[in-house]
Amino acid sequence: MHTDVHTLKTPLDTLSWLCLLESELLSIRAFQRLDLHTDRDEPNELTFLEDAIIGTGTAYGWFVFLLGEGDIPPLPDTSKNLLFTLDELGKEINRPFWEKAVDEGIQDARCDRAIAALERM
């Protein structure tokens, strides 16, 4: 992702960021469908697509956490289904990697918030 979720200030920023996330997921799915970038350099290494789904899922997890905490401008009611659509697309591509990455993104965001609170003490 090119934009940090902490820079989202308006609902338009938020929707634009989600469009970038959807673009990432659609690209990953297209590569997967065409069987591109699926080779491993080493047996224990991730493929390009596995690494990409992890990065995108982690970003989505951060976003969901910060949105729930009110740190990101809320989505208009008409676009809330977009989050569901993105989550379903990630699961369609690679459910185990997506779900683990989203959970890790949420946990990373929580930890980041806790560390920031401790540093303010």
Side-chain angles (χ1 to χ4, degrees), residues 1-80:
M1 296 298 306
H2 303 290
T3 305
D4 184 336
V5 293
H6 295 288
T7 64
L8 306 177
K9 303 295 181 213
T10 68
L12 181 59
D13 291 344
T14 303
L15 287 173
S16 296
W17 189 87
L18 289 172
C19 287
L20 289 173
L21 189 85
E22 183 176 22
S23 173
E24 291 280 327
L25 287 170
L26 291 172
S27 294
I28 294 166
R29 186 174 68 179
F31 285 133
Q32 183 184 53
R33 186 179 64 248
L34 296 170
D35 200 31
L36 299 173
H37 303 295
T38 58
D39 296 332
R40 297 183 194 283
D41 292 333
E42 297 290 327
N44 295 335
E45 289 185 6
L46 296 172
T47 67
F48 172 80
L49 297 181
E50 290 167 344
D51 190 49
I53 198 72
I54 290 169
T56 307
T58 301
Y60 179 84
W62 269 84
F63 179 87
V64 168
F65 177 79
L66 295 176
L67 181 67
E69 294 292 306
D71 293 345
I72 291 177
L75 294 170
D77 289 335
T78 56
S79 62
K80 288 187 180 177

